[in-house]
Amino acid sequence: MPKMIFIANWKMNLGLKETVILIKQLLGGLKKIKNNLEIVICPSFTVLSEASKLLKKGNIKLGSQDVFWEEKGAYTGNISPKMLKEIGCEYVIIGHSERRQYLGETDEMAHQKIKAAIKEGLIPILCVGETFEERQEGQKDYIIIKQVTKALEGISLSRGQKIIIAYEPVWVIGSGQAVKPEEAEYTNQIIKQSLIDLYPRDIVEQNFRIIYGGSVDSSVIKSFVERSVIDGVLVGGASLKTKDFIKMINKIHPVK
Ligand code: PGA
């Protein structure tokens, strides 16, 4: 069974000082993590280098919140997969709904980013999810299948290449109210079916992990990871405070 994964997305919330304090406290509080749980933090670009140095000591891994698809060149403001790799990132979030919403990112862009990330040996964390309007129009499942398929179709995967897909209903992110675990399980099943339509079954089982994100906190986390097709969580707001972060880890640690 693949390892369960806990990913913290710190978004644009913490500067250097605050990031260093939080990481030090987490390293102190999470010394006894068993190897059936993988923990990843995704801080801002500006603090990745410092974070990477601090994380050398512990068992927490580093991810970035975005990446560009070209290797180098005249692309002002962008960061290449190689640059992320160079400073110690292993994971990269791709297609987060906030980037789709505020920066007009598309499924085609997610596709290019995934391809580029994989080429450099990074593990993509692809975010998919419906808006409230799409849901009201009865389009939810269609949107999820479309986002997964467009992002991955045509990308061949080596046996060892890992990919994480996070189901994040857009209307639930930051709302304080997660969807019901059974709904996340149902949607993850749909994601799994989309993957089976794209890749051989053994690749789907071994290379992919399908997780849930959207208002996860310590009161609900366990009810999600107990479900059979939920291999972990992507947490925003609740991962910004040491106490809550550690509380969430303690809730899921013994589960799988
Ligand atoms: P949230 O964010 O946990 O604050 O809802 C999740 C995310 O956007 O990844």
Side-chain angles (χ1 to χ4, degrees):
M1 187 192 286
K3 270 189 192 180
M4 204 196 348
I5 188 154
F6 179 98
I7 303 167
N9 175 10
W10 289 347
K11 308 191 180 184
M12 202 179 71
N13 283 306
L14 307 175
L16 182 58
K17 244 191 193 157
E18 296 153 305
T19 306
V20 168
I21 293 171
L22 182 50
I23 290 178
K24 283 186 175 163
Q25 288 173 343
L26 292 176
L27 287 171
L30 295 171
K31 278 195 183 119
K32 288 187 219 132
I33 295 307
K34 299 208 183 90
N35 47 18
N36 61 347
L37 177 65
E38 209 165 317
I39 301 174
V40 180
I41 56 165
C42 302
S44 298
F45 281 133
T46 53
V47 303
L48 284 174
S49 178
E50 194 60 34
S52 174
K53 284 181 213 149
L54 293 169
L55 294 181
K56 285 210 166 77
K57 286 181 212 132
N59 44 16
I60 299 175
K61 299 193 166 150
L62 188 63
S64 81
Q65 297 174 18
D66 185 38
V67 68
F68 192 58
W69 55 78
E70 294 290 346
E71 274 175 33
K72 65 187 292 187
Y75 303 104
T76 304
N78 282 305
I79 307 280
S80 74
K82 203 185 196 109
M83 290 170 179
L84 295 177
K85 201 71 202 277
E86 193 179 33
I87 53 165
C89 282
E90 292 178 62
Y91 297 78
V92 53
I93 297 175
I94 290 174
H96 190 282
S97 63
E98 285 150 14
R99 295 197 65 84
R100 294 181 194 254
Q101 185 184 346
Y102 300 120
L103 292 143
E105 288 205 1
T106 61
D107 294 329
E108 287 71 24
M109 291 181 195
H111 177 86
Q112 283 182 279
K113 289 180 179 193
I114 290 175
K115 231 160 73 178
I118 285 174
K119 199 170 160 209
E120 202 52 52
L122 292 162
I123 301 177
I125 303 159
L126 170 69
C127 297
V128 298
E130 82 287 1
T131 62
F132 188 70
E133 291 70 34
E134 287 162 346
R135 191 182 177 83
Q136 289 310 101
E137 286 160 10
Q139 298 285 306
K140 187 200 115 182
D141 292 2
Y142 166 74
I143 293 290
I144 303 296
I145 295 166
K146 180 175 82 70
Q147 288 178 341
V148 172
T149 308
K150 285 206 162 183
L152 292 171
E153 202 166 31
I155 297 181
S156 49
L157 298 175
S158 66
R159 297 260 141 211
Q161 176 62 54
K162 305 277 181 220
I163 300 194
I164 296 157
I165 315 271
Y167 169 51
E168 295 210 304
V170 178
W171 52 285
V172 159
I173 293 174
S175 71
Q177 181 65 58
V179 295
K180 289 205 175 81
E182 47 271 40
E183 163 147 18
E185 181 177 42
Y186 164 82
T187 310
N188 282 16
Q189 199 64 257
I190 291 197
I191 293 172
K192 190 171 180 184
Q193 183 61 61
S194 307
L195 296 175
I196 289 171
D197 293 340
L198 290 171
Y199 296 103
R201 184 73 197 270
D202 60 325
I203 293 268
V204 175
E205 299 290 350
Q206 285 156 30
N207 295 32
F208 285 90
R209 273 175 294 180
I210 310 171
I211 66 176
Y212 168 77
S215 292
V216 171
D217 61 21
S218 60
S219 67
V220 295
I221 191 165
K222 196 162 181 242
S223 61
F224 283 97
V225 299
E226 275 170 349
R227 298 271 158 175
S228 63
V229 277
I230 303 182
D231 304 318
V233 284
L234 176 51
V235 186
S239 70
L240 290 165
K241 292 206 177 92
T242 314
K243 238 175 135 181
D244 295 340
F245 196 119
I246 294 173
K247 206 168 166 191
M248 285 187 282
I249 298 296
N250 286 334
K251 289 254 164 127
I252 59 175
H253 207 220
V255 175
K256 277 184 186 170

